[in-house]
Amino acid sequence: MVLKKPIRVDIDLKIVGAVTWVGRSSMEIQLEVTQSSEETSDPSDSVSLTANFTFVARDSTTGKSALINQISPETEKEKLLWKEAEERNRMRKKKKQEQKREIDNEEVNRLNELLSEGRIFCDMPALADRDSILIKDTCLQNSLICQPQQRNIHGRIFGGFLMRRAFELAFATAYAFAGSAPCFLEVDHVDFLKPVDVGNFLRLKSCVLYTELENPTQPQINVEVVAHVTRPELRSSEVSNKFYFTFTVRSDAMSNGQKIRNVVPATDEEARRVIERRDAERS
């Protein structure tokens, strides 16, 4: 889901959706949100947001995957969208099929490079870089009990509600970190790992995973939000969703001398999460 330009509240929105790719039992649907104005005569300039959703068909009796109707792209645009969706699906399957492997020398070097400043924070905090901060010091969290009004037609908690709560926490995390109201750029691929039911005790934990400061006028703040379905009576907690949001700050805030700090991991587990997300962004 990518926000291409700010969406105004005083101009009507138009949402157009279409199936852009079909597999054996899954499909991808692309949505475009457009908002026309006097300044945007070119239709392509009126696109404010694009989003790709993946749905999987399930047999209502067995719960197993079900075959779905096939489609054929005809126009050049449809063929391009099909190719892009097919590549996303291939990468998604490749990621799920990856087995645990031995860490090679290159990855060891990347881990050590990421952890070098974090070790100074832990061992010699007085000598640590004043323009950096540990991931753990950017964390926020909240908790809620899921209510019946938040359920979808299948009786489970609506995915859009989970995304909204995750976004609100991510926004607050970026706000507290940056020192000024952040601007949303995009949300990465979201996996719904476990269903969330009415009455579940849901915990959302967030942190700034890393920052990208190469462009001084538009620094990027990458926020991770992990949702846990917690059952205190069973002493269990399972991850239901992981969300990755990207924010920036307004250029006028940067011109007033505001500075975004570098975020560094303090543990191997944090460093691996950073490397995984950066590799996912590049791919």
Side-chain angles (χ1 to χ4, degrees):
M1 186 179 298
V2 180
L3 185 68
K4 295 182 176 294
K5 67 176 186 177
I7 295 177
R8 296 177 56 177
V9 297
D10 58 341
I11 300 178
D12 290 342
L13 295 173
K14 180 181 179 182
I15 304 178
V16 178
V19 177
T20 54
W21 177 86
V22 170
R24 182 179 177 276
S25 61
S26 61
M27 68 184 81
E28 185 168 297
I29 297 164
Q30 185 177 89
L31 297 182
E32 281 190 347
V33 180
T34 59
Q35 188 174 59
S36 301
S37 64
E38 295 178 356
E39 295 82 17
T40 55
S41 56
D42 188 348
S44 61
D45 293 337
S46 63
V47 177
S48 299
L49 183 144
T50 60
N52 296 297
F53 295 86
T54 302
F55 287 84
V56 178
R58 296 293 182 192
D59 187 287
S60 59
T61 305
T62 64
K64 296 181 179 180
S65 60
L67 294 175
I68 55 178
N69 295 327
Q70 297 297 301
I71 61 172
S72 298
E74 296 178 337
T75 67
E76 289 301 317
K77 182 180 179 180
E78 289 174 349
K79 291 177 182 178
L80 178 61
L81 291 174
W82 180 283
K83 183 178 178 182
E84 292 174 347
E86 200 164 47
E87 179 63 18
R88 280 192 293 270
N89 186 63
R90 187 186 68 81
M91 293 297 295
R92 188 161 53 247
K93 287 183 177 178
K94 180 182 176 182
K95 183 180 177 182
K96 288 183 178 180
Q97 292 171 354
E98 281 182 348
Q99 301 285 332
K100 287 186 177 180
R101 54 182 174 79
E102 292 185 3
I103 300 176
D104 56 27
N105 290 333
E106 181 182 354
E107 191 164 344
V108 169
N109 292 335
R110 293 175 70 189
L111 284 170
N112 288 332
E113 185 180 349
L114 276 174
L115 287 167
S116 59
E117 188 62 33
R119 292 192 179 106
I120 296 174
F121 266 97
C122 296
D123 299 335
M124 297 172 286
L127 302 180
D129 184 2
R130 295 295 181 269
D131 292 330
S132 297
I133 187 173
L134 292 176
I135 288 176
K136 66 178 184 179
D137 293 329
T138 68
C139 295
L140 291 178
Q141 63 177 299
N142 61 25
S143 305
L144 65 139
I145 302 296
C146 299
Q147 303 296 330
Q149 63 267 30
Q150 296 147 6
R151 63 189 172 187
N152 59 23
I153 58 175
H154 303 292
R156 295 281 172 66
I157 297 302
F158 184 51
F161 170 77
L162 299 175
M163 290 186 67
R164 192 191 80 189
R165 293 304 297 259
F167 174 80
E168 289 172 352
L169 182 59
F171 184 91
T173 303
Y175 200 166
F177 172 76
S180 65
C183 301
F184 169 71
L185 292 180
E186 70 177 56
V187 56
D188 198 12
H189 175 78
V190 180
D191 282 318
F192 289 84
L193 306 174
K194 297 283 183 181
V196 182
D197 293 318
V198 173
N200 277 165
F201 175 23
L202 191 69
R203 301 180 65 198
L204 297 167
K205 302 179 181 180
S206 71
C207 69
V208 178
L209 201 55
Y210 65 95
T211 54
E212 297 176 82
L213 309 176
E214 290 78 10
N215 183 356
T217 61
Q218 194 180 48
Q220 294 189 7
I221 304 168
N222 294 271
V223 180
E224 175 191 68
V225 180
V226 182
H228 299 258
V229 173
T230 305
R231 295 180 175 86
E233 65 276 7
L234 300 177
R235 298 173 61 189
S236 70
S237 180
E238 295 181 299
V239 174
S240 63
N241 304 86
K242 289 185 179 181
F243 304 89
Y244 297 95
F245 299 93
T246 303
F247 297 90
T248 188
V249 293
R250 295 189 303 272
S251 55
D252 57 340
M254 298 304 297
S255 61
N256 290 334
Q258 181 176 337
K259 193 169 185 180
I260 302 299
R261 299 170 78 176
N262 183 42
V263 180
V264 295
T267 65
D268 285 356
E269 186 269 337
E270 289 178 344
R272 287 193 177 94
R273 280 159 54 200
V274 173
I275 289 176
E276 180 184 334
R277 289 310 310 154
R278 284 179 168 169
D279 289 347
E281 286 288 335
R282 281 199 292 269
S283 63

